[in-house]
Amino acid sequence: MNSTQSSPVAFFIIQGLASLGEKKMVLFIIFLLAYTIILGGNIMIIYLVRTDPKLGSPMYFFLHNLSIVDMIYTTVTIPNMLSGFLTEVKTVSVPGCFIQMYCFIHMSVTGRALLTAMAYDRYVAICNPLRYAAVMTRPVCLLLIIGAWTFGAICTFPNTSMALQRSYCGPNVVRHCWCDPSSVRLLVCGDTQVDSIVSLSFALIALLTTGVLILTSYILIGVKIAKMGAAQRLKAFSTCAAHLTVVSISYSSASFVYISYRVGNFSPEVRIIVSVLYSALTPFLNPVIYSLRNKELRVAIKRAFCRHRDVSPQGRKTLNTLS
């Protein structure tokens, strides 16, 4: 559509990585495998938490919800991106574009809010172990989950609603693999300075609020651990190692993406690939890290595997020993 036309667009064209030519198939295979692992790993965690009574602590309740968010977060973007690799022209309707935009931002913010709730859970478990059961009750956990989803909606709605009210009169080519807010904003017919300020403001609120709360939790945990003996320190560290690893990777990769966009002299294709990798990185690593670093989850996987193989009495005796 020519940029001089004033008629509103009926759909958007997702440009994606069309300029890569045959190299797209290599990326298709890589991201298809990654998406399969993301779905398989997070479905496994959801299944284990729902079926294994020994995974009934608040930490696994939060992890269960984080897996749901990660699945929605990646399903909103990766399947559309994969279909774009297989077609010459990938289009999306205007309503579909904004639904995708809303879900992408909402799940991104909600995921960080859930990591914050998990940090608070680790703080209570390590700093106030005797009051843990009294503090982290089921109603409190539900309130934290509802708060995480509400916080995600509050940070998402202004940006998406402003984008929805804008006029798009061409061109209609989104230079990204999905309806990325900053890429769609470039297609607005008019001044978008206010939109950019609002978007940046709520992005900073989401990142700084969750980041400061997580950092505060771990500072207090660090102070508590410093006063413990060697054996207690090791146990306390193992309690929060998986969560701390996920948080570190999530925020360091977010910083890298921001720097690459603001400072790095990269081509548009490289920036899109970096953005796609970032969006898939944490959902990909979450089940891997928690499976490797969490003994209870590893044992639960063994129990589920052996249960479905109809283990012998000797096998059940071995499982009881493991658990």
Side-chain angles (χ1 to χ4, degrees):
M1 184 176 291
N2 195 302
S3 60
T4 60
Q5 292 178 320
S6 59
S7 58
V9 301
F11 59 89
F12 291 111
I13 297 174
I14 307 299
Q15 185 182 51
L17 298 168
S19 61
L20 294 181
E22 295 181 356
K23 296 178 182 178
K24 290 192 299 182
M25 293 310 299
V26 177
L27 291 175
F28 174 83
I29 295 172
I30 292 173
F31 286 113
L32 178 61
L33 289 174
Y35 183 58
T36 303
I37 294 172
I38 289 170
L39 288 183
N42 285 291
I43 288 173
M44 176 192 69
I45 289 176
I46 293 170
Y47 171 77
L48 290 174
V49 174
R50 288 187 175 182
T51 59
D52 196 319
K54 294 190 177 183
L55 300 180
S57 67
M59 179 178 69
Y60 296 109
F61 179 65
F62 292 129
L63 183 59
H64 168 274
N65 281 271
L66 182 62
S67 293
I68 293 174
V69 169
D70 284 344
M71 288 178 60
I72 299 173
Y73 179 62
T74 51
T75 300
V76 165
T77 55
I78 294 182
N80 283 287
M81 182 184 68
L82 292 175
S83 66
F85 287 146
L86 301 177
T87 57
E88 291 296 327
V89 179
K90 173 65 179 177
T91 61
V92 60
S93 66
V94 173
C97 181
F98 290 110
I99 290 173
Q100 184 187 60
M101 182 189 298
Y102 178 86
C103 292
F104 177 75
I105 303 173
H106 192 176
M107 294 305 105
S108 177
V109 178
T110 302
R112 295 187 182 281
L114 286 173
L115 289 175
T116 306
M118 294 171 77
Y120 175 71
D121 173 72
R122 295 300 83 202
Y123 159 75
V124 177
I126 294 173
C127 297
N128 296 286
L130 298 179
R131 298 187 63 244
Y132 180 76
V135 174
M136 298 304 295
T137 60
R138 193 70 170 185
V140 170
C141 293
L142 288 172
L143 282 175
L144 289 171
I145 295 295
I146 294 171
W149 283 83
T150 304
F151 180 71
I154 291 172
C155 292
T156 304
F157 183 76
N159 185 22
T160 309
S161 61
M162 290 183 70
L164 185 60
Q165 294 173 30
R166 294 297 185 183
S167 298
Y168 300 87
C169 54
N172 62 341
V173 179
V174 178
R175 300 184 184 277
H176 209 284
C177 287
W178 58 77
C179 288
D180 174 70
S182 59
S183 301
V184 173
R185 195 177 302 124
L186 296 174
L187 310 181
V188 172
C189 303
D191 184 20
T192 59
Q193 185 176 1
V194 175
D195 303 59
S196 299
I197 292 173
V198 170
S199 177
L200 179 60
S201 298
F202 279 95
L204 289 175
I205 290 172
L207 287 172
L208 293 179
T209 302
T210 56
V212 168
L213 290 174
I214 291 173
L215 182 61
T216 302
S217 297
Y218 275 104
I219 288 175
L220 296 174
I221 288 172
V223 171
K224 183 69 175 181
I225 290 176
K227 300 177 182 178
M228 296 178 177
Q232 288 180 311
R233 287 180 185 178
L234 184 61
K235 183 179 179 180
F237 180 76
S238 64
T239 300
C240 56
H243 177 261
L244 184 58
T245 303
V246 169
V247 168
S248 300
I249 292 174
S250 176
Y251 279 86
S252 59
S253 58
S255 301
F256 176 77
V257 171
Y258 178 81
I259 293 171
S260 69
Y261 267 79
R262 296 290 181 179
V263 180
N265 187 23
F266 300 117
S267 65
E269 290 78 11
V270 172
R271 292 186 177 186
I272 291 174
I273 292 174
V274 168
S275 178
V276 171
L277 288 173
Y278 164 70
S279 66
L281 182 62
T282 303
F284 177 84
L285 291 177
N286 274 350
V288 176
I289 292 172
Y290 277 100
S291 299
L292 294 177
R293 301 299 298 268
N294 189 289
K295 182 179 178 180
E296 288 182 340
L297 202 55
R298 292 200 305 269
V299 174
I301 293 172
K302 293 178 182 178
R303 279 198 298 266
F305 179 75
C306 294
R307 185 167 61 245
H308 284 286
R309 290 190 57 139
D310 192 22
V311 294
S312 63
Q314 182 63 34
R316 292 192 184 93
K317 184 178 179 180
T318 303
L319 282 175
N320 291 332
T321 303
L322 285 171
S323 59

